[in-house]
Amino acid sequence: PRLEETQLNGGSFYDCYETSDGRWLSVAGLEPQFFAQFCQAIGHPEWSSKGLALNPDIQGPLKQDIAEVMKTRTLAEWVEVFSPLDACVEPVLSFSEACEHPHIVERELLVDVPTAGGGSQRQLASPVKFSATPPRYDFTGVQLGAHTDEVLLGAGFSEEEIAGLRKSGATM
């Protein structure tokens, strides 16, 4: 399928919309009950019947109408509107915001893993949680460049070529 041709790739109202403060809100309630909640919350219940129409002549203007409404409030204001509703609407978060999201914190999806130098490195945790066999986090990986020579030798480079690459700054 080409871009904006199906319900899930921009061919319907299912999309991200810019808010008045330049942030973004994801709107994904394709099922009628979710889209009806969404339309009610933004003050346009009359748009509910347009949600499942696959006709581009309906979806295009609907998307534009939704975009105009979303630009009338900040992300925080829209989050406040939608947080108590089941409308499949969520804020698009920055990486640091996502790391602090209550779901991520509650599920302990970020962990501090000890490094060889005595510090720690924050990493993604295993999303699979077993009560009898919790995961261990005791290895952050090797130093950058630790296997460069091995990989380049395996790719057919000679020792001299590798030394030249290192001297030029192309490798570590």
Side-chain angles (χ1 to χ4, degrees), residues 141-165:
V142 298
Q143 292 288 14
L144 184 62
H147 298 110
T148 300
D149 288 2
E150 182 181 342
V151 170
L152 290 175
L153 286 169
F157 286 84
S158 70
E159 297 273 351
E160 294 78 26
E161 289 171 315
I162 294 170
L165 289 170

Side-chain angles (χ1 to χ4, degrees), residues 53-70:
L54 297 178
N55 182 338
D57 295 332
I58 294 172
Q59 289 299 312
L62 175 61
K63 249 177 124 162
Q64 289 174 345
D65 290 340
I66 292 170
E68 287 176 21
V69 172
M70 292 295 104

